Amino acid sequence: MNATTAVDRDLTDMMSAVFARYREQHPPEKVATWDDELWSALTDLGLTRLTGSEATGGSGAGWTEAAELLRAAATHGVRIPLAEHDLLACRLLDDAGLPVDDERRTVCVLDRTGTAHGVPWAEEADRVVTVWRADASYLVADVATAELRITGGVNTAGEPRDTVAADLAQLAGIAVPDNAIEQLWLRGALARGLQVCAALDRILELSVTHASERVQFGRPLAKFQVVQTLVADIAAQASLARAAAEAALAAAVRTDWRGPELDFLVAVSRSCAGHAASVVVRNAHQVHGAMGTTLEHRLHEFTGAALAWRSEFGSVGSWDDKLTAAALAAGRDGLWPLITA
């Protein structure tokens, strides 16, 4: 069952309409910035803290609604850190018992030198929820960006991915259990997987439309068997990735991120999405030909995003390694139950 079927139709239509209208009014280079006007509109609609508790100013929704919100933004090619702010940073503050307000946030995990690379949207945030290891525990602090050293950068899709540095000796944080950080990683990984799936579905839509409308040698591209095969492979790979992501999402919602099978299911979803992206992107650009590589065509907005997102919160290889380790640990007698459970 599609994990988003439980979401109110009026809510999903409203989400889609907001992002569709914004994208129509803004060029591609604009949609990869933390737009104040859009953020304010989303805040007024209760979407920037969609899953936050109502007691702290959130909307009290769940991950099924959040997944639909991520899908709507990705489908319309709008890049804005809804996952980083709500699902990661603000949730971690809740876990640590720290106050949450409407300031714009992202999250990072510092290494032993006090540095984090590839931090989403740090330079444009008001605060960075910062995690680091001290002795035997993780510490969390809500730090103003002015107190951090931030060097701007971008990922291959042009989204802000910055380097954050801090003096660990000057930071004071609240201790959180290790599983809070493990859940932070899993939530980020699943969020990216859901975004990849939305991008793949949009690529499929663009490919079907192009193959149906583009005429070569007197007939539509869709009439050529080789094009039919390319599009069929796109559809199959996108469907596989979506099914794996929805299985992981359903387990996360059912167990409130505490299920023993969740690590495995997230790994499956990320592995499927990562490998699917390779096939989908390659085939889509073959279907579109040279037209698909131009800045004027929207295909690159989604192919670039899919390839960038699949490498965040764990590479494809790292998720494949997790699956291999899980299969070896299950052994001959436990492998089938591991897959079917």
Side-chain angles (χ1 to χ4, degrees):
M1 181 182 70
N2 189 319
T4 62
T5 54
V7 180
D8 182 80
R9 179 62 180 270
D10 290 338
L11 177 61
T12 61
D13 289 346
M14 179 269 287
M15 292 173 178
S16 181
V18 168
F19 293 118
R21 183 168 58 252
Y22 178 81
R23 181 59 185 82
E24 288 173 359
Q25 298 171 352
H26 297 84
E29 59 270 18
K30 179 66 175 176
V31 299
T33 62
W34 200 331
D35 186 273
D36 292 337
E37 182 180 352
L38 175 61
W39 191 256
S40 178
L42 294 173
T43 299
D44 291 343
L45 292 169
L47 299 178
T48 55
R49 290 199 54 219
L50 183 61
T51 66
S53 69
E54 294 180 275
T56 61
S59 297
W63 261 79
T64 50
E65 292 82 5
E68 184 64 19
L69 181 62
L70 295 179
R71 187 204 66 79
T75 296
H76 292 290
V78 178
R79 318 287 176 77
I80 195 160
L82 293 162
E84 291 83 351
H85 175 78
D86 179 32
L87 303 178
L88 304 182
C90 291
R91 172 61 186 269
L92 188 54
L93 290 180
D94 284 338
D95 289 343
L98 293 170
V100 182
D101 55 31
D102 288 334
E103 290 196 277
R104 308 191 306 185
R105 289 177 170 85
T106 187
V107 65
C108 75
V109 179
L110 302 173
D111 61 22
R112 293 183 179 181
T113 70
T115 305
H117 300 282
V119 180
W121 309 88
E123 200 168 36
E124 298 184 50
D126 299 315
R127 308 185 72 85
V128 179
V129 178
T130 306
V131 181
W132 69 100
R133 188 79 178 180
D135 298 325
S137 65
Y138 282 103
L139 300 179
V140 172
D142 189 21
V143 184
T145 52
E147 300 176 21
L148 300 165
R149 300 185 300 278
I150 301 176
T151 305
V154 294
N155 64 9
T156 55
E159 297 173 304
R161 295 294 185 267
D162 308 323
T163 297
V164 174
D167 185 349
L168 295 180
Q170 300 297 318
L171 290 179
I174 301 296
V176 294
D178 287 3
N179 64 2
I181 306 307
E182 292 167 1
Q183 286 188 12
L184 172 72
W185 184 259
L186 285 178
R187 289 196 298 270
L190 183 54
R192 284 292 185 268
L194 292 167
Q195 291 173 304
V196 170
C197 289
L200 299 185
D201 285 340
R202 187 72 171 98
I203 293 167
L204 171 61
E205 180 183 335
L206 290 171
S207 299
V208 169
T209 299
H210 180 77
S212 300
E213 296 177 349
R214 184 74 171 178
V215 175
Q216 291 279 38
F217 306 111
R219 54 179 177 163
L221 289 178
K223 296 294 185 179
F224 293 91
Q225 184 173 0
V226 64
V227 175
Q228 293 172 1
T229 300
L230 290 171
V231 174
D233 284 346
I234 293 173
Q237 291 293 327
S239 296
L240 174 62
R242 190 186 325 112
E246 288 173 357
L249 175 61
V253 171
R254 184 178 64 252
T255 66
D256 192 24
W257 291 93
R258 295 182 177 87
E261 77 282 15
L262 196 55
D263 283 5
F264 179 74
L265 290 175
V266 171
V268 170
S269 71
R270 286 299 305 268
S271 176
C272 287
H275 290 289
S278 295
V279 176
V280 170
V281 169
R282 181 193 66 218
N283 286 15
H285 279 287
Q286 289 179 342
V287 170
H288 283 79
M291 181 182 297
T293 66
T294 63
L295 291 178
E296 290 77 11
H297 198 283
R298 295 200 63 187
L299 180 64
H300 70 90
E301 296 180 43
F302 305 99
T303 56
L307 295 178
W309 290 338
R310 72 171 180 172
S311 299
E312 297 182 344
F313 291 94
S315 66
V316 179
S318 71
W319 292 111
D320 288 348
D321 289 344
K322 285 182 178 291
L323 292 182
T324 301
L328 292 173
R332 182 186 63 184
D333 296 330
L335 182 57
W336 184 245
L338 175 68
I339 296 172
T340 58

